[in-house]
Amino acid sequence: MRSTPSRRTTATGALIAAAALLAVGVQTGSASAAPDAGTPKAATASTANPGALPKQLSPSQRAELIREATASTAATAKELGLGAQEKLLVKDVIQDVDGTTHTRYERTLDGLPVLGGDLVVQESKAGVTQSITKASNATAAQLKAVGLTADVTPAAAEKQAVGLAKANGSSKTAADKAPRKVVWLASGTPQLAYETVVGGLQEDGTPNELHVITDATSGAKLYEWQAIETGIGNTEYSGQVTLNTSGTAGSYNLTDTTRGNHKTYNLNHGTSGTGTLFSGADDVWGDGNGSSPETAAADAHYGAAETWDYYKNVHGRTGIKGDGVGAYSRVHYGNNYVNAFWTDSCFCMTYGDGSGNAAPLTALDVAAHEMSHGVTSNTAGLNYSGESGGLNEATSDIFGTAVEFYADNATDKGDYLIGEKINIFGDGSPLRYQDKPSRDGTSPDAWYSGIGNIDVHYSSGPANHFFYLLSEGSGTKTINGVSYDSPTSDGLPVTGIGRDKAEQIWFKALTTKFTSTTNYAAARTGTLAVAADLYGATSTEYKAVQDAWAGINVGERSGGGTDPGEPGDGTVFENATAVSIPDHGSAVTSSVSVTGRTGNAPSALKVGVDITHTYRGDLVIDLVAPDGSTYRLKNSDISDSADNVKTTYTVNASSETANGTWKLKVQDVYSGDTGKINSFKLTF
């Protein structure tokens, strides 16, 4: 969720649009070496345990598994030790080739939805429970203790939600529907709350579907998230392609009957409804130029088809929900709208035409990114805020890349660049880089303890980087004519295992191990569990997953050692003298003098920052080494309206001499707010 103050719109409007692009989200038997009818064709070429791969289920097979699981929810709840007031609701069932099932449940308490109470139960073919993954470890006793009588009225909760939506540009004066009473568990401790949803439009024209969680006892806001994830086709970005359409000679339309009846509509610059289904007499769509309305439709229709095929043929998932039902696409949304988004409520993808209505955002990796938001929503349901929000965004980038490689289109070859074809900045640069996310000037390359406080479009960087490292490894290389140079946070190399294996590991973790509250540490745990299932806990692949996570500062290396510099011993150097930060002024510094050390600083140097500020999104924060080298700790972020920066960052400073004067440099880059550096410390 981005809250964009109107006082900054003019100066940063282009940046907002670019940052939102593709990223507005929710923002959920015995083994055999020979493939059988249920084994995805692309997966059997790997050395993975074939029994642990996802089975390709027909919609009717999936429906039967869900029916069976639903019939036994009471017994499952009892086995899990849930309270008498708790009930389980089946959201999805994934089955492996060997018969192992992964059933995803949501929970209710006395009929109220328990948000953040989701869990996944893994059972063997014989029905023996093997593992349980929970979004929260709250006990049945804690839930039972939740009072179900609200002190706050629904009207008060609605007023708060509408006010927050207005801050993001919505003109709505009331919620779309009355606040519903829920139990909020996603933050760890169960609380009675209200969930309110407000519609309208956001400031940049993106539809608004803001969910606000209000404490039903105190009236305080507990959480908020945005649920909008911002024949022959002559496409603009993928050349001439074959499209599946419907109709007969003289009367054709863009309905793909082979892929769940996916349809592509023309909004003709409207912002609601479905518009008009594209139709024509010749079954030739577009001319390769953006001036033809059909060209964007051809790109969107093609992107949806390739994404459908990828999930079905590689991961055995027929459709976004796995139920064989196709989503639909809408092109030509709004005027000069520089964005594309997925919407759960309409089960559809929507594409703007870009600046000047001259550059539709319908490239292949964009389409795959948007549809993948739908897959995430209907599997893990990763909350679109904090670290889980960054993982949500990264998942869409990961599978956008995967689909681009899968399509093997000569005009749009696979790469690890996101949105490179749409040229959002006008200089030929992509929107995001997976080999080194910081190349975009904002996204961090590695995890740090405060990453959950930045916009999810940027906190996705480390997970994108993990995927690249696991696929291709660190260092320099050229793939399909694109040069990459991927670093690691600990300065040690990572050897990749290939993109196909990395994709399988991430998808299986997403669908069987991740929950709504999964953070970076839990994502590491989930992917390692999957790597063990597929390849074994002593395999090269398992060790590569460990090393790739260590390469972005999450967990230890497979060999245990992580630090090529001086080992940390906990020595602290601190400056607690307050330094005022001028409003929209020059940078100020706080310094500490490090003495008595030998050699270089550690690769995991801890940088403690305590700053009081009334709008922390104004601040750019750097660590300056004794030789003047600068390490970016925090970028400015106009969407981050919270107060203060009180956190510890981790920096790989192993190339720097430890002794000398280190500085914390802080600059307020926007007007209207003030603050001060309270203290700055380094822990070696």
Side-chain angles (χ1 to χ4, degrees):
M1 169 62 201
R2 295 172 302 136
S3 176
T4 307
S6 58
R7 65 186 175 89
R8 296 179 188 158
T9 302
T10 302
T12 60
L15 175 60
I16 295 170
L21 177 62
L22 315 182
V24 183
V26 246
Q27 161 250 286
T28 354
S30 60
S32 170
D36 61 25
T39 305
K41 65 180 183 182
T44 56
S46 76
T47 58
N49 169 15
L53 292 169
K55 182 178 182 179
Q56 184 168 320
L57 299 172
S58 68
S60 61
Q61 288 174 320
R62 174 180 176 271
E64 176 60 19
L65 288 172
I66 290 176
R67 187 196 66 77
E68 292 174 356
T70 299
S72 61
T73 52
T76 303
K78 184 177 181 180
E79 180 184 351
L80 295 176
L82 303 188
Q85 293 176 290
E86 296 181 72
K87 294 187 183 302
L88 293 174
L89 302 174
V90 179
K91 180 178 180 181
D92 197 12
V93 181
I94 304 292
Q95 189 172 65
D96 296 343
V97 172
D98 65 5
T100 300
T101 58
H102 310 267
T103 306
R104 187 176 295 274
Y105 297 95
E106 295 178 340
R107 273 195 280 182
T108 63
L109 178 69
D110 200 28
L112 300 180
V114 180
L115 305 185
D118 50 302
L119 53 94
V120 182
V121 177
Q122 177 178 312
E123 292 182 331
S124 69
K125 184 178 182 180
V128 177
T129 300
Q130 297 174 318
S131 69
I132 302 168
T133 305
K134 297 181 179 181
S136 170
N137 290 321
T139 64
Q142 287 177 297
L143 278 164
K144 185 178 180 180
V146 174
L148 300 181
T149 301
D151 296 326
V152 173
T153 65
E158 181 175 2
K159 181 179 179 180
Q160 180 189 73
V162 169
L164 290 167
K166 284 182 177 179
N168 201 34
S170 174
S171 60
K172 282 275 190 172
T173 58
D176 282 12
K177 49 189 174 183
R180 68 168 182 167
K181 194 184 290 186
V182 300
V183 175
W184 179 247
L185 188 55
S187 298
T189 302
Q191 297 170 266
L192 185 67
Y194 289 106
E195 180 190 27
T196 311
V197 182
V198 184
L201 297 176
Q202 298 178 50
E203 198 160 29
D204 65 353
T206 303
N208 191 62
E209 195 174 306
L210 179 66
H211 292 242
V212 180
I213 305 298
T214 303
D215 190 322
T217 300
S218 69
K221 185 192 78 172
L222 298 175
Y223 201 78
E224 66 175 279
W225 74 90
Q226 183 60 255
I228 301 296
E229 307 290 335
T230 103
I232 294 175
N234 294 305
T235 71
E236 183 169 356
Y237 304 115
S238 298
Q240 189 174 89
V241 298
T242 299
L243 302 178
N244 186 277
T245 61
S246 297
T248 57
S251 180
Y252 297 95
N253 64 76
L254 287 183
T255 300
D256 190 340
T257 58
T258 67
R259 298 177 178 88
N261 287 318
H262 170 270
K263 300 176 186 292
T264 301
Y265 293 94
N266 183 4
L267 280 175
N268 194 28
H269 305 300
T271 57
S272 62
T274 57
T276 305
L277 181 66
F278 276 93
S279 59
D282 56 6
D283 210 13
V284 176
W285 309 91
D287 60 8
N289 297 304
S291 57
S292 167
E294 288 187 354
T295 298
D299 272 299
H301 206 68
Y302 170 70
E306 289 297 324
T307 305
W308 175 285
D309 289 353
Y310 168 78
Y311 279 110
K312 181 178 181 180
N313 295 333
V314 176
H315 301 299
R317 188 174 186 86
T318 306
I320 287 174
K321 288 185 177 180
D323 59 0
V325 177
Y328 64 86
S329 298
R330 307 185 302 176
V331 298
H332 305 306
Y333 172 91
N335 274 295
N336 303 310
Y337 181 64
V338 189
N339 208 342
F341 55 89
W342 164 266
T343 312
D344 268 339
S345 57
C346 71
F347 203 61
C348 67
M349 294 83 67
T350 305
Y351 305 90
D353 285 331
S355 180
N357 290 327
L361 281 78
T362 49
L364 179 57
D365 58 353
V366 176
H369 177 111
E370 299 310 336
M371 292 180 74
S372 294
H373 273 305
V375 173
T376 297
S377 176
N378 286 282
T379 54
L382 290 160
N383 290 332
Y384 200 69
S385 183
E387 293 191 20
S388 60
L391 293 169
N392 186 318
E393 277 303 310
T395 295
S396 282
D397 282 350
I398 286 167
F399 291 122
T401 291
V403 170
E404 197 174 69
F405 275 100
Y406 171 86
D408 196 23
N409 182 289
T411 304
D412 186 7
K413 290 183 178 295
D415 53 51
Y416 293 93
L417 311 175
I418 307 300
E420 74 285 354
K421 281 285 186 177
I422 55 179
N423 192 21
I424 192 71
F425 301 116
D427 59 2
S429 63
L431 180 64
R432 288 185 285 277
Y433 304 80
Q434 292 182 301
D435 66 318
K436 188 178 181 182
S438 60
R439 290 173 67 188
D440 68 9
T442 307
S443 300
D445 293 331
W447 179 89
Y448 59 90
S449 59
I451 199 168
N453 296 324
I454 68 173
D455 191 286
V456 296
H457 314 136
Y458 310 134
S459 62
S460 62
N464 271 319
H465 193 191
F466 163 81
F467 175 72
Y468 178 87
L469 288 170
L470 186 60
S471 299
E472 305 293 348
S474 58
T476 59
K477 54 180 56 67
T478 300
I479 303 167
N480 283 346
V482 179
S483 297
Y484 302 98
D485 187 2
S486 190
T488 60
S489 64
D490 58 9
L492 298 175
V494 171
T495 301
I497 59 174
R499 190 177 54 259
D500 291 345
K501 292 180 180 179
E503 291 170 20
Q504 287 289 353
I505 288 170
W506 192 265
F507 180 81
K508 188 174 174 70
L510 175 75
T511 55
T512 68
K513 301 298 181 184
F514 292 0
T515 69
S516 60
T517 62
T518 295
N519 57 17
Y520 270 90
R524 178 182 185 272
T525 299
T527 52
L528 282 171
V530 165
D533 289 342
L534 291 172
Y535 303 102
T538 61
S539 65
T540 298
E541 289 82 2
Y542 186 92
K543 293 176 181 177
V545 172
Q546 288 180 296
D547 291 347
W549 281 117
I552 64 160
N553 196 36
V554 180
E556 292 189 346
R557 287 268 176 171
S558 56
T562 63
D563 191 353
E566 181 184 351
D569 58 11
T571 302
V572 176
F573 299 86
E574 182 174 10
N575 184 346
T577 302
V579 178
S580 295
I581 304 170
D583 183 31
H584 198 192
S586 301
V588 295
T589 61
S590 174
S591 302
V592 296
S593 180
V594 175
T595 59
R597 309 297 295 176
T598 58
N600 289 355
S603 61
L605 178 65
K606 304 300 182 183
V607 185
V609 177
D610 183 345
I611 294 175
T612 300
H613 197 274
T614 52
Y615 200 105
R616 68 185 180 201
D618 288 0
L619 302 179
V620 176
I621 306 175
D622 294 305
L623 174 68
V624 183
D627 66 354
S629 298
T630 300
Y631 297 83
R632 177 59 49 88
L633 303 179
K634 177 190 176 301
N635 284 293
S636 60
D637 181 356
I638 57 173
S639 69
D640 189 358
S641 60
D643 297 338
N644 310 328
V645 180
K646 297 184 179 183
T647 190
T648 300
Y649 300 97
T650 301
V651 172
N652 179 6
S654 58
S655 63
E656 305 291 343
T657 300
N659 289 334
T661 300
W662 295 74
K663 298 178 181 179
L664 184 74
K665 184 172 73 173
V666 181
Q667 184 174 14
D668 184 330
V669 297
Y670 295 112
S671 60
D673 297 273
T674 59
K676 63 180 178 178
I677 304 172
N678 297 310
S679 67
F680 156 48
K681 67 180 179 181
L682 298 176
T683 304
F684 283 78

